[in-house]
Amino acid sequence: MAWIQRRKFLASCLCITATIFLLVTLQVVVELGKFERTKFRNSNLQDGRTKMEEVPEYLNPFLKKEALDLNRKKKSDSDSYPIMLWWSPLTGEAGRLSQCGADACFFTINRTYLHHPMTKAFLFYGTDFNIDSLPLPRKAHHDWALFHEESPKNNYKLFHEPVITLFNYTATFSRHSHLPLTTQYLEGIEVLKSLRYLVPLQSKNNLRKRLAPLVYVQSDCDPPSDRDSYVRELMTYIEVDSYGECLRNRDLPQQLKSPVSMDADGFYRIIAQYKFILAFENAVCDDYITEKFWRPLKLGVVPVYYGSPSVTDWLPSNKSAILVSEFSHPRELASYIRRLDDDDRLYEAYVEWKLKGEISNQRLLTALRERKWGVQDINQDNYIDAFECMVCTKVWDNIRLQEKGLPPKRWKAEDTHLSCPEPNVFAFSPPRAPRRSSLREMWVRSFEQSKKEAQALRWLVDRNQNFSAQEFWALVFRD
């Protein structure tokens, strides 16, 4: 009998233990789910875009708490809010009522709202802005807003005065934009000061036995900046380790070959071993400064930079990067880098700001302090949110002016909101690669044609009637 009672007791204990285990497991699954959703949002916000399919409210990581509360109102209530219509969809949301400070606006990609009386603004993503379909005729109270953070190679038409001035509001990489995105690839001051990936100079000197002084990692070959031509010439005067598809002479580990691995810890640690990195942008535009510039500064590697002519306004200190534009030929640049490579004192002058954690550029400090969005920070709005709220707030400002019987304020973009000169190709003598019809020459021709496209598009939009692609191209190519 006692034996039976002991078995019953052990069985009871086993059941209780199993129940506790199941409850703990369930809690872990719930917490993992929360973590994965947070990680998912962080990864999607890395480049500022929030493209996603519709999901239930309780699973949508991009809906703010305010938006959820507002969406619980009756649908008819949304008719009293200004409608912001994403004409070239970026967020992918069919409809969302979102709070912007004291104001609220209804954001949607649903084009059936085109003729809705409360539709006040049309939002365009620059890369997808095209002539196939535009919200014409454009009414007097219809504002156009442009979001374009990318290179001009994505849509050259936007970079000419006739097209950029079609918009009332802009968010671009230019500091002159209504919402400047110049620091879009920089998380904050602390990552610049961080010594997490810094390899001591003595270790780098030892690594030089098997590593070149310079590293180059690019897989987007022959872009408008013609950077590969310059690097090819430079390689004849100094050793360069090139890991990308362009001019590759070394291979990354298999797990780091994907472009999405360029922000992986393993990739960072490989690049951090080098003294210098060739940080060449794919286009030359004022304030177009990408991760190619910020990444080496975060890692403690000296960037040899080619790109934005205004980059000196954004350096952490006066001596934190080597500017290609200051050298008349790759030969002179190679000679200067060899000099720094051989002299620790001269080299350390370029990383002194990093070692001391001192950023002297007040423009950079102010821009990071005052920007209304964050980078890879789930506790802050991303710059898409900030763009939407900028437009929403300005629309509401005009509504309040009209309610007082005052004329609305008219905002208008200027050509400085996207400023890029004509692409250029490097011409070294004797040439290191055969001259051929390639992407190098194509970018110059593309830029020239985009001028005609911009003029044709402006004429058609000013006519304020719908037009066909045939009409557009007939204007572009007429004599």
Side-chain angles (χ1 to χ4, degrees):
M1 192 70 178
W3 177 77
I4 295 174
Q5 288 178 341
R6 280 199 301 273
R7 289 194 63 178
K8 287 182 177 180
F9 175 76
L10 290 173
S12 299
C13 290
L14 183 60
C15 289
I16 294 171
T17 302
T19 301
I20 293 173
F21 175 79
L22 287 172
L23 289 172
V24 171
T25 302
L26 179 61
Q27 182 63 28
V28 169
V29 170
V30 171
E31 291 303 318
L32 281 174
K34 292 179 181 178
F35 172 77
E36 286 301 317
R37 288 195 294 275
T38 300
K39 185 173 70 172
F40 175 72
R41 176 183 181 183
N42 195 31
S43 65
N44 276 273
L45 295 186
Q46 187 166 338
D47 67 354
R49 300 184 193 178
T50 55
K51 291 181 179 177
M52 62 179 299
E53 295 179 356
E54 286 186 76
V55 294
E57 285 182 351
Y58 62 92
L59 289 180
N60 190 337
F62 299 109
L63 289 183
K64 302 184 184 67
K65 180 178 183 298
E66 296 91 339
L68 293 177
D69 291 342
L70 284 166
N71 278 333
R72 293 192 184 104
K73 292 174 178 264
K74 290 183 297 183
K75 180 172 177 55
S76 59
D77 289 348
S78 65
D79 290 342
S80 61
Y81 294 94
I83 296 171
M84 312 284 111
L85 177 52
W86 273 100
W87 196 253
S88 46
L90 181 60
T91 64
E93 293 168 317
R96 167 176 51 88
L97 195 58
S98 190
Q99 194 77 29
C100 296
D103 302 318
C105 290
F106 183 75
F107 294 90
T108 182
I109 64 170
N110 188 342
R111 291 191 176 186
T112 62
Y113 284 95
L114 171 60
H115 302 295
H116 195 287
M118 288 302 293
T119 297
K120 301 295 184 182
F122 293 85
L123 313 184
F124 298 88
Y125 179 51
T127 298
D128 298 329
F129 178 84
N130 58 63
I131 57 95
D132 294 337
S133 175
L134 290 174
L136 298 173
R138 183 178 180 179
K139 298 179 181 178
H141 65 279
H142 282 171
D143 289 336
W144 284 14
L146 174 70
F147 181 94
H148 191 56
E149 87 288 24
E150 296 193 23
S151 163
K153 62 180 286 191
N154 294 78
N155 199 335
Y156 261 131
K157 289 190 293 294
L158 297 170
F159 290 76
H160 300 294
E161 189 270 345
V163 174
I164 187 63
T165 53
L166 284 172
F167 300 96
N168 302 97
Y169 318 114
T170 62
T172 76
F173 52 73
S174 170
R175 76 185 76 181
H176 303 294
S177 173
H178 295 119
L179 182 70
L181 305 175
T182 316
T183 59
Q184 62 184 297
Y185 293 97
L186 179 60
E187 297 92 331
I189 289 297
E190 292 310 311
V191 296
L192 289 177
K193 294 181 178 181
S194 173
L195 302 179
R196 176 182 176 185
Y197 292 100
L198 183 71
V199 175
L201 180 56
Q202 189 57 49
S203 297
K204 291 192 177 188
N205 285 335
N206 292 332
L207 287 164
R208 281 284 289 106
K209 297 173 184 176
R210 62 180 180 84
L211 299 179
L214 279 161
V215 62
Y216 184 57
V217 188
Q218 291 299 335
S219 293
D220 178 16
C221 306
D222 292 317
S225 65
D226 199 26
R227 61 190 172 200
D228 294 335
S229 294
Y230 190 98
V231 176
R232 185 182 293 107
E233 178 75 10
L234 181 66
M235 284 175 157
T236 66
Y237 301 103
I238 192 170
E239 187 181 1
V240 178
D241 286 346
S242 181
Y243 288 96
E245 293 301 315
C246 313
L247 309 176
R248 184 177 69 221
N249 56 25
R250 294 193 70 144
D251 288 321
L252 288 166
Q254 188 62 40
Q255 69 273 18
L256 296 177
K257 288 185 177 181
S258 169
V260 299
S261 300
M262 295 193 74
D263 281 316
D265 180 83
F267 178 77
Y268 278 7
R269 296 198 181 278
I270 290 174
I271 301 305
Q273 298 177 98
Y274 288 86
K275 286 187 172 182
F276 308 90
I277 184 169
L278 292 170
F280 283 37
E281 305 288 8
N282 65 27
V284 176
C285 308
D286 282 339
D287 295 337
Y288 179 60
I289 301 169
T290 72
E291 77 287 347
K292 297 174 187 64
F293 175 71
W294 301 116
R295 183 187 292 128
L297 294 174
K298 292 191 290 185
L299 302 181
V301 181
V302 178
V304 180
Y305 183 79
Y306 177 70
S308 170
S310 58
V311 72
T312 52
D313 290 342
W314 304 101
L315 296 174
S317 75
N318 289 333
K319 205 161 193 178
S320 51
I322 297 169
L323 305 182
V324 171
S325 59
E326 295 181 352
F327 298 86
S328 60
H329 192 276
R331 183 190 311 106
E332 280 69 44
L333 174 61
S335 176
Y336 185 70
I337 291 173
R338 281 198 302 272
R339 183 182 169 199
L340 297 185
D341 186 31
D342 293 336
D343 191 321
D344 288 353
R345 181 183 57 84
L346 293 177
Y347 178 84
E348 285 182 325
Y350 280 91
V351 293
E352 184 178 7
W353 69 272
K354 179 83 167 179
L355 296 171
K356 293 183 177 180
E358 296 178 353
I359 296 176
S360 57
N361 187 339
Q362 292 304 312
R363 180 194 299 276
L364 176 60
L365 293 170
T366 300
L368 291 173
R369 183 174 61 251
E370 294 182 353
R371 71 184 185 186
K372 296 177 171 59
W373 42 271
V375 178
Q376 298 185 33
D377 185 350
I378 61 174
N379 296 312
Q380 290 185 283
D381 286 347
N382 62 74
Y383 48 46
I384 302 295
D385 297 326
F387 169 67
E388 290 183 336
C389 279
M390 174 191 71
V391 179
C392 175
T393 300
K394 291 186 182 302
V395 166
W396 266 109
D397 287 345
N398 277 339
I399 289 175
R400 284 187 278 268
L401 285 173
Q402 290 176 306
E403 288 174 346
K404 295 176 182 178
L406 299 173
K409 182 175 182 179
R410 302 309 300 170
W411 294 80
K412 184 179 179 181
E414 299 177 5
D415 56 2
T416 56
H417 290 204
L418 278 177
S419 178
C420 300
E422 178 179 340
N424 192 23
V425 294
F426 291 104
F428 301 113
S429 180
R432 300 295 175 183
R435 296 286 291 179
R436 63 190 187 279
S437 177
S438 67
L439 284 175
R440 297 177 67 228
E441 288 77 21
M442 184 201 77
W443 293 119
V444 177
R445 294 195 297 269
S446 177
F447 184 87
E448 287 302 318
Q449 179 174 308
S450 69
K451 291 181 182 178
K452 299 177 182 178
E453 293 178 15
Q455 292 168 351
L457 181 61
R458 182 57 186 249
W459 187 87
L460 289 167
V461 173
D462 284 347
R463 189 184 66 174
N464 210 22
Q465 298 175 14
N466 287 310
F467 58 89
S468 66
Q470 289 79 4
E471 287 181 272
F472 172 77
W473 292 114
L475 276 176
V476 171
F477 292 112
R478 71 178 180 181
D479 295 329

